[in-house]
Amino acid sequence: MRIVLIGKGRLATNLEPALAAAGHEVVMVNSRTLEGLPMEADAFIIAVKDSVLTEVIVAVTKGRESQVFMHTAGSMPMELFQGKAAHYGVFYPMQSFSKERQVDFSEIPTFIEASDEKAMTVIRRLAESVTGRVYELSSADRQYLHLAAVFACNFANHCYAMAADVLERHGMNFDVMLPLIDETARKVHQLHPLEAQTGPAVRYDENVIRHQMQLLEDSPVMKDLYERMSLHIHQKAKSE
C-alpha cells in the first residue's frame, strides 16, 4: 500500500521503518508544515501529539474527504474525524516509543477501530502487516486501556525515577536496580501482578514502613506517595 505518515515524533519514527519493512511505500510528512502532502493514498496515518490532533485532522482531510484516515492516539476518540472524512478509524500500537531505541513492531499489541467496512479492511490489513497482535476495540474501551498503560508504564517509570533519586543522593548508581526490575517484569509474564507482589506493604510491616517513611522526611511528596501506595498494596492483598 501507498501510505502517507503524518508526524515526525517518537511513534512515527518507529512506525515508518516497520511499514517499509512490510513492503509498503511510505511518504513521511512533517505535521508542522504538511509540505508535500499528497492528495491521494491507500491510507493516511496521523501520528501527532494529542494537543494538535484535531487541527491536523482538519488540515489533512480538507479536499481528501474520500480517502481513508486513521490516528494513532490511545486516549482520543475515533469521532474526531466525523464530518471531515467518509472513511476513518484508529490504529493504536500500545507501546512506549523513543527516537533513540527502535522497537520490534511484530510484538506490539495494536488496537484498531473503524467507521465502516472500507476503513476497517484497510486498517486491519495495515496492522496485520506489521504485527501479529491485532485487536478490535472501541474508543470507549480504549480510554481504559490507555489509563491502564499509564499505570503500567508512565507511573512505573516515575517510580524508577524516584528510586534513582534516593540512590543518587546517597552515592549509589541506579544500575544496581536493574536485575530487580528485570525479575519483577519477568514474574508478571507468569503470575498475576497481585500474586507477584512482595515487600513490607503486603503484610503491612509497620516497623519497616514507619522507618522508611522517616527516611523520606525531607521529601514530603514521596513520603505521601509511599504511605498511600503501601496502604493500597496491603488493601489489595487483603481483598484476595
Side-chain angles (χ1 to χ4, degrees), residues 157-230:
N157 191 71
H158 186 63
C159 286
Y160 300 157
M162 289 191 290
D165 181 60
V166 170
L167 291 168
E168 289 162 7
R169 281 190 286 137
H170 295 277
M172 292 173 276
N173 294 322
F174 179 72
D175 61 9
V176 300
M177 291 286 112
L178 296 179
L180 176 63
I181 290 170
D182 291 343
E183 177 58 19
T184 302
R186 280 192 292 266
K187 279 199 295 187
V188 295
H189 282 262
Q190 298 177 318
L191 301 172
H192 188 281
L194 287 176
E195 296 175 315
Q197 186 66 264
T198 61
V202 173
R203 58 189 182 274
Y204 211 75
D205 187 327
E206 293 191 41
N207 289 332
V208 174
I209 290 171
R210 189 182 304 111
H211 176 65
Q212 292 188 336
M213 287 179 64
Q214 289 172 352
L215 297 178
L216 293 169
E217 287 292 347
D218 60 342
S219 303
V221 174
M222 287 177 64
K223 180 181 177 182
D224 182 58
L225 285 170
Y226 179 98
E227 182 175 24
R228 289 172 184 267
M229 289 187 73
S230 295

Side-chain angles (χ1 to χ4, degrees), residues 87-149:
H87 313 290
Y88 54 87
V90 175
F91 173 95
Y92 171 53
M94 191 183 67
Q95 183 54 280
S96 175
F97 296 99
S98 64
K99 290 186 177 182
E100 298 78 17
R101 178 179 169 84
Q102 195 71 34
V103 300
D104 181 359
F105 241 90
S106 67
E107 298 178 351
I108 299 176
T110 299
F111 299 85
I112 62 174
E113 182 181 15
S115 62
D116 62 355
E117 187 175 343
K118 179 178 179 178
M120 179 56 80
T121 298
V122 171
I123 295 170
R124 178 172 288 281
R125 180 183 166 195
L126 190 64
E128 290 179 347
S129 73
V130 295
T131 178
R133 304 183 66 183
V134 179
Y135 309 91
E136 288 189 38
L137 194 69
S138 69
S139 289
D141 287 336
R142 185 165 25 85
Q143 65 183 346
Y144 290 102
L145 177 74
H146 191 257
L147 171 63

